[in-house]
Amino acid sequence: MKYTFTGETVLVSGAASGIGKATAHLLAANGLAVLVSDIQKDAVEKLAQEIKANGGRAVAHVGDVSRPEDSENAVDLAVREFGALHFAVNNAGVGDGNGPMGDINLEGWQRVIDINLNGVAYGLRFQIPAILAAGGGAIVNMSSILGIVGEQTAPAYTAAKHGVTGLTRATALEYSARGVRVNSIHPGYVDTPLLDVFDEQAHLELIKKHPIGRLGTADEIAHAIAFLLSDGASFITGASLLADGGYTAL
Ligand code: NAD
């Protein structure tokens, strides 16, 4: 499948695994130069090599999205290496094993909010000026079905992903007329290492919550992200795009 890009550049966070990795490969195959960023040094460097071996353009950045200075460095590196930044995918995230709210582990709460919500905010803070300087572009923020509906066993994750939904809307309101479209993507459960915490029985229970009869794949979410960045989505901003196999329609 082809998307309309003309040699622009994109920053993808959490690119070393799962959805971020699939997205980086797809965007590179469609002609974007990709700054792949992740906290996992070896894996993100290997990804950049793979993209280059496939004929794409990629530079690796090692950073932690919960540290604002790392997000700033990632943007600086993209501009330095590629000349400008046009697109960003704020995808890095972690799961939530912190228990129900009445006895939640508060360090765990802080970690999930720091990475899944603050990480997106820090990304936007430094990406937006660079994208404005490049003459405009688009951003996709990674939310979840749990940015639309709740999950009682994952209050920090649910709160962080709802936060991403609102942050996306507020940012889109400010920047859409200035040439930066900002949208959030809301996958159902997707078969990536993030789901390794679930045993086989829990996997089967998760599948039952998706009317389509299976979990999603990282490639399917990558295609939804590529569409939102592409010119095909030129009138779409401030939107929450569900890619959930019908989970929220139940
Ligand atoms: P994954 O674990 O395969 O990939 C997550 C990536 O983020 C990893 O490469 C990891 O190293 C990186 N990362 C984690 N903490 C980081 C940090 N502090 N700084 C920089 N990088 C960091 O998981 P995935 O399923 O591909 O998840 C990607 C995003 O999609 C997450 O935001 C997740 O919440 C979201 N999501 C996943 C699902 C799902 O079912 N897999 C569903 C909805 C939303």
Side-chain angles (χ1 to χ4, degrees):
M1 209 172 297
K2 283 279 172 203
Y3 300 92
T4 52
F5 298 116
T6 50
E8 298 97 333
T9 69
V10 62
L11 186 164
V12 180
S13 75
S17 174
I19 295 168
K21 187 174 180 179
T23 302
H25 274 302
L26 181 66
L27 296 177
N30 277 273
L32 291 183
V34 190
L35 188 294
V36 287
S37 182
D38 204 283
I39 202 166
Q40 296 187 62
K41 181 175 187 295
D42 291 350
V44 79
E45 288 175 351
K46 182 164 173 268
L47 171 64
Q49 292 304 329
E50 282 169 13
I51 290 173
K52 286 191 266 192
N54 292 339
R57 288 190 295 155
V59 168
H61 171 266
V62 182
D64 177 345
V65 294
S66 70
R67 292 164 40 96
E69 58 272 35
D70 288 7
S71 291
E72 186 173 20
N73 288 339
V75 171
D76 288 349
L77 183 62
V79 172
R80 205 160 61 237
E81 291 283 335
F82 301 136
L85 182 70
H86 305 94
F87 301 118
V89 182
N90 290 306
N91 163 76
V94 291
D96 178 352
N98 303 307
M101 204 56 210
D103 54 9
I104 197 167
N105 170 322
L106 288 176
E107 279 176 20
W109 164 275
Q110 192 68 55
R111 176 168 182 266
V112 172
I113 298 294
D114 274 348
I115 296 172
N116 292 9
L117 175 57
N118 291 340
V120 176
Y122 302 149
L124 292 171
R125 169 63 183 82
F126 298 107
Q127 293 152 9
I128 287 169
I131 294 173
L132 288 171
I139 299 173
V140 175
N141 294 326
M142 178 53 72
S143 183
S144 163
I145 44 173
L146 302 187
I148 304 286
V149 297
E151 165 58 59
Q152 66 267 37
T153 61
Y157 192 91
T158 301
K161 295 301 190 183
H162 274 70
V164 171
T165 308
L167 175 59
T168 299
R169 290 178 178 152
T171 311
L173 290 176
E174 178 65 30
Y175 292 101
S176 296
R178 296 162 66 183
V180 187
R181 294 183 300 102
V182 189
N183 293 292
S184 52
I185 178 83
H186 301 258
Y189 285 86
V190 178
D191 200 358
T192 73
L194 197 79
L195 301 195
D196 286 352
V197 291
F198 296 108
D199 63 19
E200 203 182 328
Q201 185 55 37
H203 253 92
L204 293 174
E205 293 303 319
L206 285 180
I207 287 171
K208 284 188 200 157
K209 295 182 173 180
H210 297 74
I212 205 164
R214 61 177 177 82
L215 302 186
T217 68
D219 279 339
E220 287 175 311
I221 308 307
H223 278 286
I225 292 170
F227 164 67
L228 285 174
L229 294 180
S230 76
D231 278 351
S234 52
F235 198 52
I236 302 179
T237 192
S240 309
L241 180 62
L242 287 158
D244 70 350
Y247 185 107
T248 52
L250 262 180

